[in-house]
Amino acid sequence: MSTLRDLAEEHTALRPADIDHLHRIAGDWQLLSDLSFADLLLWVPVDGDGTFLCVAQVRPTTAPTAYLDDQVGRIVGGAEVAHLEVAHRQGRIWREGDPVWYGDVPARHEAIPVRLRTGDGEAGEVIAVVGRDTNLSTARTPSQLELNYLTTADDLAQMIADGTFPPPRHPGETTSAPRVGDGLVRLDANGKVTYASPNAQSAYRRLGYASHLVGEDLAKLHRRLAGDPLEGTDAGNAVLAALRGEAPPRREIDARGATMLTRALPLMPAGVPIGALVLVRDITEVRRRDRALITKDATIREIHHRVKNNLQTVAALLRLQARRVAMPEARVALEESVRRVASIALVHETLSMSSDEAVEFDGIVDRVASAATEVAATEVSVGMRRRGTFGVLPAEIATSLVMVLNELLLNAVEHGFPPADEEAAAPSPADAPSPSPADAARPEAVVSAPRPEVVVSAHRARKQLHVTVTDNGRGLPEQFDAERGGNLGLQIVRALVTGELRGTIDLRNGADGGTEAAIVVPLARGTTDRLTGRAGPP
């Protein structure tokens, strides 16, 4: 199904600012739908030929819908949209007419013109029409709650026609809470409560206010309830701002161990401030869980920090022992253990600074690669380069993968390129055949040896992480057994890849020389890629 913007751009000549305003209405009109007990359909005129296109629809959560089928994308004309044509042409709310039938469902039509106010605050032209269609099959005598809902809905409908609803959204705010059913309080122009729904009354009771709300000055009540004077001032000022016609950001009130979220909206039909609408929601349990999660996250980060410190202590002890060992083989083995422990500590260091059990792995790879060139036992200067991105990896994959890459990079640097003594044993230029005069005259005939380099490549495909470590060195020795051969480091690599990571590894000579280690690691369904924001591979 096409989006509101797609439909409007394809079928109408609406300006970008007009479409943005329609988006704001569609983002906040669940409130009006619930108060109206009616479906809302957003209609835009098509090419001025008397037809209208439905670009958005919302169903009420407080009443049965009038439409079983989705109406978005439907183009209608003729008598079926006569009420929309009147509202669009005359710029007024249309409420005349008899009920209509949609199958077995009787419905009442209303049409609300949509205006976008100009830069100087004046009401602009009508750019669309909101159809308010009420299912009449369950019609009955309305209660006091329903009467207050409908009265407030009429005020908001007039504000849509005036171009003053919805109010501008504050940065970081969503439209999901609080809703009409969570709790509703209506104020008069003096800030006194004229109606409070039962759920609103219950929310205030949890804050410690046991009396009935009707007749109370809500701004003063918020100041009394909040134990913190500053927070009470914020909550009270939000109500006063709404009474002045402003749309303040949502505020929370904490009292007696309970927390209530409030949203104050001005009521200004025809531009006249007549009061405010305050939506409230008890979010005590939500905030309790938030605090528990924050505590848990802090505890997990502290654990990772201590694990990192312990691993660094182990590495220091192994390094100290290596200095006191006389046997060269034992010293080399201890130094390799130090590097392996340090690579694991690097992952826990990153996790200790993260808010979740996942790490941005590219930075870890870069640090491991840099360390491999510094500590490798070789006289050859080897360059390191990363191609592609690993993205965000969960801790269980990152811990094993960093050890695998550490071993492969060290092997590539130490064994992929011949040391200086082997280079000296190679045939000297004096022993090599002299180039012909014709070849010597051509500069391109003199080819310098490529700079020693190791490249780490990574990409995601089909819920798998593909990693390749390639060097341009001398390649694998003859008779090398990729399954069983190799030193302890390669044995560790095979064990981690096939065991902990449940992946595969292929060691082979590169097509252009050197050695290539290709690793494929399956990614869990919940693994995210921060570059795309999606689950799984891009």
Side-chain angles (χ1 to χ4, degrees):
M1 178 60 67
S2 299
T3 65
L4 186 158
R5 186 175 300 277
D6 293 336
L7 291 170
E9 291 177 347
E10 180 180 356
H11 296 279
T12 73
L14 291 175
R15 301 165 300 176
D18 298 333
I19 299 176
D20 289 341
H21 183 63
L22 298 184
H23 264 292
R24 287 194 294 272
I25 290 177
D28 222 351
W29 66 350
Q30 184 69 59
L31 169 64
L32 178 58
S33 177
D34 290 343
L35 289 171
S36 303
F37 307 99
D39 292 75
L40 300 183
L41 284 73
L42 186 57
W43 298 94
V44 293
V46 178
D47 299 330
D49 59 357
T51 60
F52 285 82
L53 166 67
C54 180
V55 296
Q57 176 184 3
V58 63
R59 293 181 172 88
T61 62
T62 52
T65 180
Y67 299 97
L68 297 179
D69 298 327
D70 196 271
Q71 303 295 303
V72 176
R74 185 168 171 240
I75 298 178
V76 294
E80 189 174 354
V81 295
H83 61 299
L84 304 177
E85 180 66 27
V86 171
H88 182 261
R89 186 177 63 254
Q90 299 182 9
R92 66 177 180 86
I93 297 178
W94 184 93
R95 293 193 175 95
E96 303 88 37
D98 298 325
V100 296
W101 290 82
Y102 295 107
D104 298 330
V105 178
R108 180 178 64 247
H109 272 331
E110 295 179 70
I112 306 165
V114 177
R115 286 187 174 88
L116 173 63
R117 299 187 77 81
T118 61
D120 56 4
E122 297 296 326
E125 61 181 7
V126 178
I127 60 175
V129 179
V130 171
R132 182 163 63 168
D133 301 335
T134 306
N135 186 332
L136 300 178
S137 60
T138 58
R140 55 189 173 83
T141 303
S143 64
Q144 184 183 11
L145 179 145
E146 292 169 334
L147 288 174
N148 278 277
Y149 276 19
L150 292 171
T151 300
T152 305
D154 288 342
D155 293 334
L156 294 180
Q158 184 59 54
M159 292 173 66
I160 289 180
D162 299 336
T164 56
F165 184 88
R169 189 177 304 172
H170 296 273
E173 283 192 344
T174 64
T175 59
S176 58
R179 290 189 170 188
V180 169
D182 297 325
L184 177 144
V185 179
R186 181 170 174 126
L187 310 179
D188 62 15
N190 297 317
K192 298 294 183 64
V193 177
T194 60
Y195 176 76
S197 69
N199 284 346
Q201 191 72 52
S202 298
Y204 278 92
R205 187 169 287 112
R206 290 203 64 177
L207 294 178
Y209 184 75
S211 301
H212 205 278
L213 286 169
V214 173
E216 282 288 335
D217 186 316
L218 197 64
K220 294 181 179 179
L221 176 61
H222 284 181
R223 293 192 177 99
R224 294 201 307 268
L225 289 176
D228 186 343
L230 179 60
E231 186 174 353
T233 301
D234 287 343
N237 285 346
V239 174
L240 297 177
L243 293 173
R244 293 193 300 267
E246 302 172 13
R250 297 175 175 91
R251 299 294 185 186
E252 293 183 10
I253 302 176
D254 290 312
R256 297 196 176 187
T259 305
M260 185 175 71
L261 177 65
T262 67
R263 182 190 183 192
L265 294 169
L267 295 178
M268 302 177 57
V272 179
I274 63 170
L277 175 67
V278 180
L279 301 174
V280 300
R281 181 185 180 185
D282 182 3
I283 57 171
T284 304
E285 292 303 313
V286 175
R287 289 294 172 260
R288 183 189 63 80
R289 289 195 294 268
D290 288 345
R291 288 190 290 269
L293 287 174
I294 292 173
T295 302
K296 179 181 177 181
D297 290 342
T299 302
I300 292 174
R301 288 197 297 272
E302 178 62 21
I303 290 173
H304 284 301
H305 180 71
R306 295 189 181 187
V307 170
K308 182 262 297 183
N309 288 344
N310 290 339
L311 290 173
Q312 289 179 339
T313 301
V314 172
L317 292 174
L318 291 174
R319 191 179 297 110
L320 181 62
Q321 185 67 37
R323 293 171 183 169
R324 295 174 177 268
V325 171
M327 297 178 60
E329 295 84 356
R331 185 182 302 111
V332 170
L334 288 172
E335 290 175 349
E336 289 179 351
S337 298
V338 169
R339 291 194 292 269
R340 290 165 186 147
V341 173
S343 65
I344 300 175
L346 187 59
V347 175
H348 286 281
E349 179 183 2
T350 306
L351 287 169
S352 69
M353 297 181 291
S354 174
S355 60
D356 51 24
E357 286 294 289
V359 294
E360 187 73 53
F361 201 69
D362 292 337
I364 294 178
V365 173
D366 294 341
R367 292 174 65 180
V368 169
S370 176
T373 59
E374 294 174 0
V375 303
T378 179
E379 300 176 2
V380 181
S381 176
V382 180
M384 287 284 182
R385 184 160 55 92
R386 175 172 56 83
R387 181 187 302 152
T389 180
F390 289 81
V392 178
L393 295 178
E396 60 268 19
I397 293 180
T399 303
S400 298
L401 186 57
V402 71
M403 283 194 65
V404 169
L405 292 176
N406 181 62
E407 298 295 336
L408 291 175
L409 291 172
L410 284 172
N411 270 302
V413 173
E414 292 183 348
H415 305 295
F417 304 95
D421 56 349
E422 292 188 18
E423 289 182 344
S428 65
D431 299 330
S434 300
S436 65
D439 289 339
R442 289 184 290 132
E444 63 270 16
V446 181
V447 180
S448 60
R451 176 175 179 266
E453 185 180 51
V454 179
V455 179
V456 182
S457 304
H459 71 277
R460 299 186 181 208
R462 300 180 182 276
K463 295 185 174 62
Q464 293 177 329
L465 176 64
H466 295 256
V467 182
T468 306
V469 179
T470 308
D471 64 65
N472 58 353
R474 58 185 172 183
L476 296 172
E478 295 184 6
Q479 309 302 323
F480 178 79
D481 188 347
E483 294 296 328
R484 297 180 179 83
N487 55 18
L488 175 61
L490 289 181
Q491 294 175 19
I492 292 175
V493 167
R494 279 192 291 268
L496 288 174
V497 171
T498 59
E500 295 295 326
L501 297 176
R502 303 184 303 279
T504 61
I505 181 171
D506 182 18
L507 286 172
R508 56 182 180 258
N509 285 315
D512 300 324
T515 306
E516 184 175 274
I519 302 171
V520 179
V521 178
L523 296 174
R525 181 173 293 274
T527 304
T528 59
D529 185 346
R530 189 164 295 168
L531 296 179
T532 63
R534 298 192 301 253

